[in-house]
Amino acid sequence: MDRVDRIADILYGVASGEGLIGYAPLGRRVGVQPNHLGGFLEQVSERAADRDEPLWSALVVSKGSGLPSSGFYVLARRLRDEYARFEDHEMWARERRRCYDAAHSA
């Protein structure tokens, strides 16, 4: 299992509990510095979008703000055209709900 698969698996587990995970705890679990997770999270999201799955990276947040990094919003709008018309907070809430619903329906 590569890191992208491992991150996706962890985030699916987080979604099952309707939770969130910080960048630092996620980084520790996969052996990556938190500031280097962006590329891996982008791959997780691109793969999920190709499969019409939720963008699991919506569940990864900063300890200080409790929100995803600004890169999440840019990526989500690139991968999902419908998000162009939503404010960040609404888009994030919708994608979190997609994650939680998908984890519970599996």
Side-chain angles (χ1 to χ4, degrees):
M1 178 180 288
D2 70 4
R3 277 197 176 115
V4 173
D5 291 332
R6 178 74 179 122
I7 290 169
D9 186 56
I10 291 167
L11 295 179
Y12 182 85
V14 170
S16 295
E18 294 198 16
L20 300 170
I21 189 169
Y23 289 96
L26 178 60
R28 279 192 299 273
R29 289 183 67 181
V30 296
V32 174
Q33 290 294 319
N35 59 330
H36 292 117
L37 280 171
F40 294 108
L41 291 171
E42 182 174 358
Q43 290 177 58
V44 168
S45 293
E46 288 172 342
R47 185 182 301 172
D50 288 345
R51 297 174 180 170
D52 200 30
E53 295 176 358
L55 305 180
W56 303 107
S57 60
L59 305 178
V60 185
V61 297
S62 168
K63 179 181 177 181
S65 69
L67 300 169
S69 73
S70 59
F72 165 75
Y73 302 103
V74 172
L75 179 64
R77 287 189 175 95
R78 180 170 60 83
L79 296 175
R80 301 214 191 282
D81 293 335
E82 68 266 25
Y83 287 148
R85 61 188 171 103
F86 292 115
E87 298 289 328
D88 287 355
H89 68 278
E90 186 176 3
M91 177 186 63
W92 183 46
R94 286 174 178 262
E95 201 59 37
R96 281 193 330 267
R97 178 50 42 206
R98 283 186 73 176
C99 291
Y100 300 153
D101 289 348
H104 290 296
S105 69

